[in-house]
Amino acid sequence: MSEIEQLVRTRLRSLRHAQSLSLEDLAERSHLSPSTISRIETGKRAISLDVLLPLARALRTDVETLLEDDADNDVVIRPEPSREGSRTTWMLSKATGTMKALKVRLEAASEVPKQRVHPGHDWFFVMEGRVRLLLGERAVIVEAGEAAEFATMTPHAFMAEGGPAEVIMIFDQEGHTVHRQDGED
């Protein structure tokens, strides 16, 4: 068995255990049999795309993450700023992860951003300044040292209030894709 195969098997089993899933639970989610999953985890069955794809989906990860070679052992992320309008963003997580962490610097803007909706939840922590969070008809001020979490099917946007603000944001992959495409919240 190759080193990468063993790594993938270990990751599959570890993800299953981390999510407190039995073989039967994962079988139901992936539409594979419990015995197939057991044989994959123990090395008694070859790993192929026809089983890897449904297992990755069922474990809420992607195939690239399962196959990723960690040979460089570089755990340090060196974010580079990316500027879009009045917002500067630093990616604080690796591109292959299922969760995305960002640092965002918001400059004061006179224009109120358009409110958006998308599946999931958003979470942010204000490190510096004040942020006006717009949730439908509501406006909430979030101060430095405070966090906000909300369902994103509520129309929402946020902006710096009274000067620049810096926030740390966390999204799942779907939420990050929506925010990246919009260029604004």
Side-chain angles (χ1 to χ4, degrees):
M1 180 180 324
S2 75
E3 201 173 304
I4 188 71
E5 279 183 282
Q6 186 55 46
L7 180 63
V8 170
R9 292 175 198 286
T10 301
R11 286 179 176 164
L12 287 169
R13 186 176 190 142
S14 295
L15 284 169
R16 181 172 64 80
H17 286 183
Q19 296 176 35
S20 300
L21 296 173
S22 67
L23 287 170
E24 291 75 20
D25 294 334
L26 184 55
E28 187 176 319
R29 279 189 184 182
S30 64
H31 306 290
L32 298 169
S33 72
S35 64
T36 296
I37 297 168
S38 176
R39 289 192 324 264
I40 289 168
E41 288 182 355
T42 60
K44 294 180 176 137
R45 186 187 195 282
I47 298 174
S48 59
L49 284 177
D50 65 324
V51 295
L52 198 54
L53 287 169
L55 285 172
R57 273 190 229 109
L59 291 166
R60 295 182 177 97
T61 190
D62 55 41
V63 173
E64 184 177 351
T65 300
L66 292 173
L67 298 173
E68 185 177 45
D69 181 11
D70 293 333
D72 67 353
N73 294 322
D74 191 1
V75 297
V76 177
I77 297 167
R78 295 166 184 84
E80 294 289 327
S82 171
R83 184 154 178 99
E84 298 172 22
S86 63
R87 176 183 293 209
T88 305
T89 304
W90 292 263
M91 181 63 80
L92 302 178
S93 55
K94 292 186 177 184
T96 57
T98 57
M99 298 298 288
K100 302 296 179 195
L102 302 149
K103 174 184 170 187
V104 180
R105 180 167 178 87
L106 303 164
E107 301 297 333
S110 56
E111 212 173 292
V112 176
K114 182 179 176 186
Q115 293 189 43
R116 310 272 188 198
V117 298
H118 57 86
H121 274 75
D122 275 4
W123 177 93
F124 68 85
F125 175 79
V126 181
M127 296 179 0
E128 176 185 308
R130 300 171 71 197
V131 172
R132 181 187 309 183
L133 172 60
L134 306 169
L135 294 170
E137 299 297 316
R138 291 176 49 202
V140 179
I141 301 299
V142 186
E143 303 279 349
E146 297 178 336
E149 181 178 8
F150 51 93
T152 55
M153 289 307 287
T154 301
H156 63 282
F158 63 91
M159 59 191 291
E161 176 77 16
E166 287 193 3
V167 300
I168 298 291
M169 305 180 78
I170 297 178
F171 306 102
D172 61 11
Q173 182 64 42
E174 187 173 24
H176 179 254
T177 301
V178 170
H179 285 273
R180 190 178 65 232
Q181 289 170 347
D182 290 344
E184 59 182 78
D185 202 67

